[in-house]
Amino acid sequence: MSRRSRSLLVPLAVVAALGLSACSTTDAPAGSSSSGSTTATDRGATGSITVFAAASLQQTFTTLGKDFELANPGASIRFSFAGSSDLVTQIQNGAPADVFASADEANMAKLSSSDLASGSPRDFATNVLEIAVAPGNPKRIAGLDDLTGSGVQLVTCAAPVPCGAATAKVASAAGVDLRPVSEEQSVTDVLGKVESGQADAGLVYVTDVQGAGGKVDGVPFDESSEAVNTYPIGVLEESEDPDLAQAFAEYVRSTTGQKVLAAAGFGKP
């Protein structure tokens, strides 16, 4: 017996009676793809799925999950957020999950090459790095060169994590030798150390700075364009509710989903 119920498709007539099929002419319905194709959520999806998503997606995916559930009262979305590389390891070790959203293509490719991803994952967003500093930028950090000073406590992501790989690329492009006092397993851990004052600066995504709500300031730098991370999303082979999983993945890529992502600072895929 499956660990949760399969998604059920409610007839269009019932959905219409419940008022779930109403949508504006300027926006895509819940669960529709940007091309306007009809999906399971257009007819009312039910069931429960678990979404493994990169830590940098926590705020936006939490919002998208709530919006998806409102549009589909019979559906339930659970999330697990962490560094993409850690999530891949968990999935490879048998952790039950239906959808994976990675902060880079390399970690998604690990699942595809292991036959753990079903079909072809689709890109849904992009992101770039920014330097997070304390409000007011007391260390007067203006670029990557300033992160090499002996008086600056820098934290970054570890190399296997997408933000860590991006950090290595931008450092190479700038010709600087970054020596962080610690390397974290997720971008939210880097941000947390800057917010708490345990570090003077951290390399995070522009979306993390925006989502911090004034707890940190952001310092953009030209070399960030050398490491644009593309975010793919895909249904996992072992999903016990692939219809609902696919519906949520399409919802993320829909016009509605893209508006939420854009508002958080993500770029187009």
Side-chain angles (χ1 to χ4, degrees):
M1 181 177 293
S2 66
R3 57 185 167 87
R4 51 185 179 270
S5 63
R6 307 286 291 186
S7 62
L8 301 178
L9 301 182
V10 180
L12 283 170
V14 176
V15 175
L18 293 175
L20 295 178
S21 62
C23 63
S24 69
T25 58
T26 59
D27 200 0
S32 67
S33 67
S34 57
S35 63
S37 60
T38 301
T39 68
T41 52
D42 294 331
R43 300 182 292 277
T46 63
S48 178
I49 58 172
T50 298
V51 177
F52 277 25
S56 54
L57 293 167
Q58 184 164 352
Q59 290 188 20
T60 50
F61 267 42
T62 298
T63 297
L64 289 172
K66 291 178 180 178
D67 291 346
F68 185 90
E69 289 176 341
L70 285 173
N72 301 274
S76 175
I77 313 294
R78 297 186 296 266
F79 292 101
S80 179
F81 297 102
S84 298
S85 56
D86 285 345
L87 293 174
V88 167
T89 299
Q90 292 175 37
I91 294 168
Q92 290 175 329
N93 289 333
D98 300 278
V99 176
F100 176 51
S102 176
D104 68 353
E105 296 171 296
N107 279 288
M108 180 65 80
K110 293 178 183 177
L111 294 185
S112 296
S113 63
S114 302
D115 295 327
L116 293 174
S118 177
S120 299
R122 303 289 299 278
D123 299 338
F124 67 92
T126 55
N127 215 347
V128 294
L129 295 179
E130 193 166 71
I131 304 169
V133 297
N137 194 6
K139 294 288 184 176
R140 299 294 183 263
I141 293 170
L144 291 181
D145 285 338
D146 296 329
L147 300 179
T148 63
S150 60
V152 176
Q153 299 290 302
L154 170 68
V155 291
T156 65
C157 291
V161 185
C163 59
T167 294
K169 289 181 182 179
V170 298
S172 177
V176 299
D177 182 19
L178 298 179
R179 298 185 179 183
V181 296
S182 71
E183 296 182 338
E184 307 300 323
Q185 293 302 310
S186 74
V187 70
T188 49
D189 291 338
V190 174
L191 184 68
K193 288 205 167 185
V194 179
E195 288 180 344
S196 65
Q198 297 179 66
D200 299 314
L203 280 163
V204 300
Y205 296 115
V206 295
T207 54
D208 297 303
V209 172
Q210 182 171 321
K215 294 180 181 178
V216 299
D217 284 348
V219 179
F221 56 96
D222 292 340
E223 295 85 359
S224 64
S225 62
E226 299 294 329
V228 179
N229 278 24
T230 298
Y231 286 55
I233 188 169
V235 176
L236 297 177
E237 187 64 36
E238 296 300 316
S239 172
E240 294 191 11
D241 201 337
D243 290 339
L244 183 58
Q246 184 62 38
F248 179 75
E250 291 184 5
Y251 182 72
V252 171
R253 298 185 65 253
S254 72
T255 302
T256 300
Q258 290 296 298
K259 285 182 178 179
V260 173
L261 290 159
F266 286 94
K268 294 182 178 180

